[in-house]
Amino acid sequence: MAIRIFITGGTFDKEYNEINGQLFFKETHLPEMITRSRVTPEVEVTTLMMIDSLDMKSGDRELIVNQCNNAKEDKIIITHGTDTMAVTASVLAGKVEGKTIILTGAMIPYKFGSSDGFFNLGCALAFVQTLPAGVYVSMNGRYFTWDNVRKNRETGIFEEIFQATPHTSHGS
Amino acid sequence: MAIRIFITGGTFDKEYNEINGQLFFKETHLPEMITRSRVTPEVEVTTLMMIDSLDMKSGDRELIVNQCNNAKEDKIIITHGTDTMAVTASVLAGKVEGKTIILTGAMIPYKFGSSDGFFNLGCALAFVQTLPAGVYVSMNGRYFTWDNVRKNRETGIFEEIFQATPHTSHGS
Amino acid sequence: MAIRIFITGGTFDKEYNEINGQLFFKETHLPEMITRSRVTPEVEVTTLMMIDSLDMKSGDRELIVNQCNNAKEDKIIITHGTDTMAVTASVLAGKVEGKTIILTGAMIPYKFGSSDGFFNLGCALAFVQTLPAGVYVSMNGRYFTWDNVRKNRETGIFEEIFQATPHTSHGS
Amino acid sequence: MAIRIFITGGTFDKEYNEINGQLFFKETHLPEMITRSRVTPEVEVTTLMMIDSLDMKSGDRELIVNQCNNAKEDKIIITHGTDTMAVTASVLAGKVEGKTIILTGAMIPYKFGSSDGFFNLGCALAFVQTLPAGVYVSMNGRYFTWDNVRKNRETGIFEEIFQATPHTSHGS
């Protein structure tokens, strides 16, 4: 079955507006990236919105939830701004079941030479095919479960909130 | 534990020689790609050789086998030319056990604007963290087990040799 | 004799700050561009400031004037934000004599894939070698004398203020 | 009046063939480069041939001569492989008069990230607007008259055959 990609905007898809010198949203680069990646799994791309994740409101998240529930696919990638990616993941976790959902994004816009976006899309596409049903964030070459991830605003790096305890003490 | 990346060359790392107009190998671009990807899993890169996979001989493959067996890591990515990637995968499958090994490469050199290499590295890094021990080829956004993969030379696309039988015989 | 390049900032040299999502100045890309261009004329690069041209004050322009007068070279390129490039050109025109000075910039930062900056540098380098002493703006593949140029803010295109009258009628 | 650009091929326009791993010619990138450069002078692009300049024969050069003579424009840029650029320049010099003709090319294909091609186009466009009638080669940020230029095959750099004598001795 096809993999569904929902676009919500974020740094990933920002363009440079040469008239006013601001970054803005025009169209998603996902179709161009899909072509360039030469993927053979069938991929369906739908743009839900094109916004900064700091501007995402609860109504926007409800829309994403509904789209995930209504999608016929059970493997879903969501491109999303990094700042509130973990928030949307936690909203989805309570309301969508039986699907593997990967949220991903980029620290640098795809159109910048140094962007991590194309790499991140590769990670997300691989994780969505191999992880069991659940909601995950994929950034920095890793995946995180929705309930144990945050973006470190100072470093720009995604990290776990709680470190796994390597040796569970027993008997105490 | 760290992820090991072994470099063997292939299209991935080809450069343009401006003196003679030929493509050639200089140095691997993997360290630059790792930096750009902002990965947090620890990654160790070792260049084993820098050759076209059509020039790879059995001695070269023995070297790769030995390096995989001697590596302390049990998650290994091998960058490799696409033409004989499946051959090397089958050699590794018989001689390395208990490790997840992903072979990947690129159809277009990383230094070309349209390269698939950075995306493929993302896929490989995700698959090596999620697939069970075994030898796999990752290209075109998919993974293939070593015993059921070939490169279609006419299309440049990796595909399964045997299609999975969708309807298992009934009545037996 | 060498060609002098003075850096003042502008869109040309803007980078993307991945922590706060803003465009900012880090270091000039000119040395990298010079290497990539494979130019053989000797080129000396000096960074005078790294600012938006809308933030440029009269003291900044005095500094540029002084640097142009003090430079031993008589061929000078100045990289500059596009918004007030014509203003700086007119200040220079009254205060620097006997030198060919070309102001240039970019509509899109060099680090964006679609930047015009590298092309514009080529134009500026060619114009500075062929035009007589004077102060010029070079953008959009053309050169303009300092007293007949403006940036059209709506289109982002540089244009003449006064059209040359092609056929001056006399005697009729 | 418009500037005419004649395409003849060369490194400039080479693409990577992902099926056989060879460099080849598909279509010229000039229209894309013209758009990206945001030039306002009117530019007309015509593809005459798409070949390596080492494969260029006298018939091909006759075709170029005829096209230059028949063009209504008197400012002409010719994109050309670097290896025999000087040969074509010398053929043109004897057979086209009253026009400014600039031959240029690239050491690295435009589609490679490190290409000098876009810069070289900027130089050529500026030189064609400022140099008097004659045939010139523009590479490495300079221009050369047709009768005093060669490509140094070892360094890949264009240079003068005869150095200008800086102090002409008099009286001896």
Side-chain angles (χ1 to χ4, degrees), chain A residues 41-131:
Chain A
E42 196 186 342
V43 173
E44 299 284 345
V45 178
T46 307
T47 302
L48 300 186
M49 58 200 78
M50 286 289 268
I51 62 176
D52 259 314
S53 77
L54 289 172
D55 298 331
M56 194 177 280
K57 298 187 171 41
S58 59
D60 299 316
R61 292 198 170 91
E62 282 312 302
L63 173 64
I64 298 172
V65 166
N66 290 341
Q67 290 284 330
C68 287
N69 276 321
N70 293 338
K72 64 179 189 297
E73 298 86 1
D74 59 9
K75 297 180 188 306
I76 298 173
I77 294 170
I78 301 173
T79 67
H80 198 288
T82 56
D83 283 320
T84 70
M85 195 182 281
V87 176
T88 302
S90 67
V91 170
L92 284 161
K95 299 187 173 168
V96 185
E97 292 195 348
K99 303 196 174 198
T100 301
I101 299 179
I102 312 283
L103 290 94
T104 194
M107 292 305 294
I108 300 270
Y110 178 64
K111 280 297 171 186
F112 257 92
S114 57
S115 176
D116 51 334
F118 197 41
F119 174 90
N120 293 351
L121 182 63
C123 291
L125 200 75
F127 283 136
V128 86
Q129 295 177 76
T130 48
L131 290 174

Side-chain angles (χ1 to χ4, degrees), chain D residues 29-155:
Chain D
H29 302 97
L30 255 291
E32 172 188 338
M33 294 167 80
I34 295 294
T35 301
R36 182 178 166 196
S37 72
R38 294 156 174 78
V39 294
T40 43
E42 196 185 343
V43 172
E44 300 283 347
V45 178
T46 308
T47 301
L48 301 186
M49 59 200 77
M50 287 289 268
I51 61 175
D52 261 315
S53 77
L54 290 172
D55 297 331
M56 195 177 279
K57 297 189 170 41
S58 59
D60 298 315
R61 293 197 170 91
E62 282 312 302
L63 173 65
I64 298 171
V65 166
N66 290 341
Q67 291 283 331
C68 288
N69 276 323
N70 292 339
K72 64 180 187 298
E73 299 85 2
D74 59 8
K75 298 180 188 306
I76 298 172
I77 294 170
I78 301 172
T79 67
H80 197 288
T82 56
D83 283 321
T84 71
M85 195 182 281
V87 176
T88 302
S90 68
V91 170
L92 283 161
K95 300 187 172 170
V96 186
E97 293 195 348
K99 303 195 174 199
T100 301
I101 299 177
I102 312 282
L103 291 93
T104 195
M107 293 304 294
I108 300 271
Y110 178 64
K111 280 296 171 186
F112 256 93
S114 58
S115 176
D116 52 334
F118 197 42
F119 174 91
N120 294 351
L121 181 64
C123 291
L125 200 75
F127 283 135
V128 87
Q129 295 176 76
T130 48
L131 291 174
V135 179
Y136 308 86
V137 163
S138 171
M139 288 292 289
N140 302 113
R142 301 179 59 184
Y143 71 91
F144 302 86
T145 53
W146 67 270
D147 56 351
N148 194 14
V149 59
R150 72 175 159 210
K151 180 183 171 186
N152 182 320
R153 299 289 172 87
E154 284 175 37
T155 62

